[in-house]
Amino acid sequence: EVQLVESGGGFVQPGGSLRLSCGVSGFTFSDYWMSWVRQAPGKGLEWVAKIKQDAGEKYYVDSVKGRFTISRDNAKNALYLQMNSLRVEDTAVYYCGRDDYSKWGHYYGIDVWGQGTTVTVSS
Amino acid sequence: DIQMTQSPSSLSASVGDRVTFTCRASQGIGNDLAWYQQKPRKAPKRLIYAASSLQSGVPSRFSGSGSGTEFTLTISSLQPEDFATYYCLQHNSYPLTFGGGTKVEIK
């Protein structure tokens, strides 16, 4: 069974840092691009970042560029999101997701999601 | 950035109803669109990919159509478990962007 399990969320003051982790099982992690998506309380979904299998390409939404860093450890089957200079508006549930590509390289969005981890930024 | 606009933002419907909602892109995205269902306090679940392809395991009452800038998701006969919020996602270009969602409520 394919599983993604996020951890590392918590309460942090503005300007602080947190590192989220996503552990995966049930598929060959190193074969997949991976993403982070967040959802602020009572709001919609916002894509945050995406990383290629070998970490050679990374993409971010503008609002987190320079503050968040996506990374991965294929030996540990783990995805990470290092979040620095946190702001109140970063408060959200953070989901990791597996990116779905065809064997021809066409991207079809996120097909599997974790259950999410909650980040609260408040003074 | 490509803006995705969903309409309506919410709708009330009864079990057995046929419901359709729309997602519009601010520029053409081909068929690079997915639809997700999200229930309260749960992770999203993909229903449709490539605008009209049904995700494995998803009931056939769900269907998607469209290309370019206008897309629709249709539920042919609404079931009790379908009351949820539905989001579209464009994955044609970065940043990936979601629509604001359509909440389907019980009438």
Side-chain angles (χ1 to χ4, degrees), chain A residues 32-35 47 49-60 69-72 79 99 101, chain B residues 94:
Chain A
Y32 288 84
W33 288 73
M34 298 291 294
S35 282
W47 172 81
K50 184 176 172 183
I51 186 169
K52 194 177 180 181
Q53 295 95 323
D54 61 0
E57 292 180 44
K58 302 177 184 180
Y59 300 92
Y60 300 91
T69 302
I70 189 171
S71 63
R72 63 192 296 160
L79 175 72
D99 290 298
Y101 280 83
Chain B
Y94 296 108

Side-chain angles (χ1 to χ4, degrees), chain A residues 109-110 113, chain B residues 34-38 44-46 85-87 89 98:
Chain A
I110 297 167
W113 300 65
Chain B
W35 287 98
Y36 296 86
Q37 177 193 67
Q38 187 181 34
K45 171 187 172 183
R46 190 173 69 172
T85 301
Y86 294 83
Y87 294 95
L89 166 69
F98 288 89

Side-chain angles (χ1 to χ4, degrees), chain B residues 37-56:
Chain B
Q37 177 193 67
Q38 187 181 34
K39 297 182 180 179
R41 295 170 296 283
K42 296 292 187 182
K45 171 187 172 183
R46 190 173 69 172
L47 303 175
I48 300 287
Y49 64 95
S52 60
S53 295
L54 190 67
Q55 175 75 28
S56 175

Side-chain angles (χ1 to χ4, degrees), chain B residues 11-85:
Chain B
L11 65 87
S12 295
S14 301
V15 172
D17 284 354
R18 179 184 180 90
V19 297
T20 298
F21 26 94
T22 299
C23 183
R24 289 188 174 86
S26 60
Q27 62 191 74
I29 59 171
N31 68 344
D32 292 337
L33 185 111
W35 287 98
Y36 296 86
Q37 177 193 67
Q38 187 181 34
K39 297 182 180 179
R41 295 170 296 283
K42 296 292 187 182
K45 171 187 172 183
R46 190 173 69 172
L47 303 175
I48 300 287
Y49 64 95
S52 60
S53 295
L54 190 67
Q55 175 75 28
S56 175
V58 172
S60 59
R61 62 181 180 273
F62 291 93
S63 63
S65 65
S67 67
T69 61
E70 187 153 337
F71 302 85
T72 60
L73 177 68
T74 298
I75 308 173
S76 60
S77 177
L78 200 63
Q79 298 301 301
E81 60 268 29
D82 301 337
F83 291 96
T85 301

Side-chain angles (χ1 to χ4, degrees), chain A residues 13 22 50:
Chain A
Q13 292 187 330
C22 172
K50 184 176 172 183

Side-chain angles (χ1 to χ4, degrees), chain A residues 1-102:
Chain A
E1 181 189 6
V2 173
Q3 280 196 317
L4 288 72
V5 180
E6 301 92 337
S7 60
F11 185 95
V12 62
Q13 292 187 330
S17 298
L18 274 179
R19 188 197 198 203
L20 305 184
S21 300
C22 172
V24 314
S25 60
F27 65 98
T28 304
F29 179 66
S30 57
D31 285 348
Y32 288 84
W33 288 73
M34 298 291 294
S35 282
W36 287 98
V37 174
R38 67 184 178 182
Q39 187 169 35
K43 302 297 184 183
L45 300 167
E46 180 183 37
W47 172 81
V48 174
K50 184 176 172 183
I51 186 169
K52 194 177 180 181
Q53 295 95 323
D54 61 0
E57 292 180 44
K58 302 177 184 180
Y59 300 92
Y60 300 91
V61 68
D62 281 352
S63 59
V64 309
K65 282 180 183 175
R67 300 188 301 121
F68 290 12
T69 302
I70 189 171
S71 63
R72 63 192 296 160
D73 185 334
N74 287 341
K76 294 183 178 179
N77 287 346
L79 175 72
Y80 304 104
L81 187 68
Q82 177 67 43
M83 304 186 296
N84 298 331
S85 303
L86 281 161
R87 304 168 180 167
V88 171
E89 55 265 34
D90 295 319
T91 295
V93 175
Y94 284 74
Y95 297 99
C96 64
R98 186 180 77 173
D99 290 298
D100 181 25
Y101 280 83
S102 71

